Amino acid sequence: MHAAPGLPDGAPEVLPPWWSAGETATRDPLLWDSRAVIEALALSKRHGSRLAVDDLSFTAPDGAVTGLLGPAGAGKTTALRLAVGLDRGAGTVLVDGLPFAAHRRPSQAVGVALDARALHPGRTAVGHLRALAAGAGVPRRRVAEVLERVGLVGAERQRPAAMRRGAAVRLAVAGALLGRPRTLLLDDLTTHLDDDARAWLRQLVREHAEAGGCVLLAAGRAADVVDCADRLVVLRRGRLAASGPVADLLAHAGSAVLVRASDPGRLAGAVLRWGGSVDPLPDGALVVTGLDMAAVGEVARAEGVALHELTARLADLDSSLQSLELPETALVSGAPQPSGVGA
Ligand SMILES: Nc1ncnc2c1ncn2[C@@H]1O[C@H](COP(=O)(O)OP(=O)(O)OP(=O)(O)O)[C@@H](O)[C@H]1O
């Protein structure tokens, strides 16, 4: 059994190893109830005449990565800022049953990486983390641990201006991990990342979730979250367009399949007969909608057409997800509170 670092009021006194052993330990499912960790209820935020977030409710459970997905301007950053009290607005966000600011040590409840570019230009990576640790009441030795965790050992003395995007993202994540938080809020870190850094981030959030943590990962493109998220909350112009398990949403979104075949004309005719739609591309590939990948494979086999490529076409997924109208019912279990967020 372990002591409770930054334990919020009302949390169990007996904690799973996950709390103190950090992000590599395995969560004991018998000790934690599976429940929503983040509960956002009726969030609204206006910037002048524009409603950046409009009556938005969603939840994010523990043991899972929840993708907060929407195009530029959909309200992802505003929703995250409301969650941690950086913006004031209407509605309520509870993290582990409490507003962010009501936690005894907020940074030990929630790790936040909102803007990987917002680093003090005069500080080195290690200086940045030491300053954050001091502000959050985290022991200085934790800085070395998080530098190692994010793979920045050897780059401690680099300054933000000299950092590539991937290193800046690692540093932002290191800052979020300092307080060993159960919950991570990560805003749009996937954009402009190279494949290695993207794969690293994906693995890190998966490990955090598999250790029992809650991750809310904002992204502008479905391709950046569908392969690491368990659930999606899809935003459209500040409102909830859809939420639920990734597999369910992908099934409803009717994602397209890109296919290259030995005889595209013959395959296209067969797809149409099987009830699908076909959009031929100039290079001979076909974009099939209305049939899933397995069905396209079956059609090809039945027609004796060889397949050279068969892939989900994620670029189309963004627009499909944006046109969904599938908010889950009974999203929020926490009781609404009278005061506004960030108050
Ligand atoms: N401080 C601000 N002042 C005025 N308008 C703002 C401000 N912050 C956000 N907005 C507007 O609110 C809307 C939502 O912005 P927000 O940054 O939350 O969206 P986003 O989904 O995070 O987009 P992006 O991926 O581009 O960051 C946008 O129209 C944006 O222009």
Side-chain angles (χ1 to χ4, degrees):
M1 299 305 168
H2 298 266
L7 186 64
D9 294 331
E13 286 300 320
V14 177
L15 291 172
W18 186 88
W19 267 93
S20 56
E23 47 276 7
T24 54
T26 302
R27 169 182 180 244
D28 181 345
L30 296 177
L31 289 176
W32 278 113
D33 290 338
S34 182
R35 63 192 175 99
V37 170
I38 301 174
E39 299 167 294
L41 178 67
L43 293 184
S44 292
K45 171 70 187 173
R46 183 178 286 282
H47 289 296
S49 61
R50 173 157 188 137
L51 262 175
V53 167
D54 183 4
D55 195 21
L56 173 66
S57 296
F58 67 89
T59 60
D62 57 2
V65 177
T66 300
L68 183 62
L69 179 64
K76 307 178 296 292
T77 302
T78 304
L80 295 181
R81 288 176 62 87
L82 287 168
V84 295
L86 287 170
D87 273 345
R88 284 166 179 262
T92 304
V93 181
L94 301 180
V95 181
D96 279 328
L98 291 174
F100 176 76
H103 285 271
R104 224 179 286 152
R105 293 198 178 88
S107 71
Q108 295 183 10
V110 186
V112 184
L114 286 188
D115 186 349
R117 290 154 302 185
L119 300 168
H120 191 297
R123 280 195 188 127
T124 60
V126 71
H128 167 72
L129 292 173
R130 282 179 183 157
L132 284 183
V138 170
R140 205 170 154 121
R141 65 175 180 281
R142 176 71 180 147
V143 169
E145 290 171 11
V146 294
L147 281 166
E148 187 173 352
R149 174 73 179 116
V150 303
L152 279 183
V153 173
E156 297 94 330
R157 302 284 156 201
Q158 271 191 24
R159 290 180 198 280
M163 281 185 172
R164 299 173 71 93
R165 165 86 181 155
V169 164
R170 284 171 193 259
L171 183 56
V173 172
L177 293 174
L178 270 174
R180 298 185 192 279
R182 179 188 187 194
T183 298
L184 289 177
L185 303 186
L186 307 177
D187 189 15
D188 217 5
L189 299 185
T190 47
T191 308
H192 306 310
L193 275 191
D194 63 31
D195 289 347
D196 284 352
R198 199 183 296 267
W200 167 81
L201 184 62
R202 223 173 256 150
Q203 187 181 340
L204 183 131
V205 297
R206 285 300 333 152
E207 286 175 6
H208 193 82
E210 278 152 26
C214 167
V215 182
L216 185 60
L217 177 66
R221 300 182 324 154
D224 288 335
V225 281
V226 290
D227 59 350
C228 69
D230 304 284
R231 306 172 53 76
L232 291 180
V233 171
V234 183
L235 300 191
R236 180 177 57 229
R237 292 190 292 277
R239 296 183 68 90
L240 183 69
S243 68
V246 169
D248 290 2
L249 292 186
L250 294 192
H252 279 96
S255 52
V257 176
L258 180 83
V259 54
R260 293 179 200 279
S262 57
D263 188 342
R266 186 180 173 94
L267 182 63
V271 164
L272 293 174
R273 288 199 302 282
W274 282 50
S277 307
V278 182
D279 186 11
L281 299 183
D283 67 356
L286 305 174
V287 177
V288 175
T289 46
L291 295 181
D292 63 16
M293 274 208 277
V296 174
E298 282 300 312
V299 173
R301 193 176 59 83
E303 290 294 311
V305 175
L307 292 182
H308 301 158
E309 184 182 345
L310 186 64
T311 44
R313 204 158 187 249
L314 292 174
D316 294 339
L317 196 55
D318 287 296
S319 49
S320 309
L321 285 168
Q322 281 292 302
S323 52
L324 284 178
E325 291 286 354
L326 292 170
E328 284 177 303
T329 53
L331 273 166
V332 176
S333 59
Q337 303 212 339
S339 57
V341 204

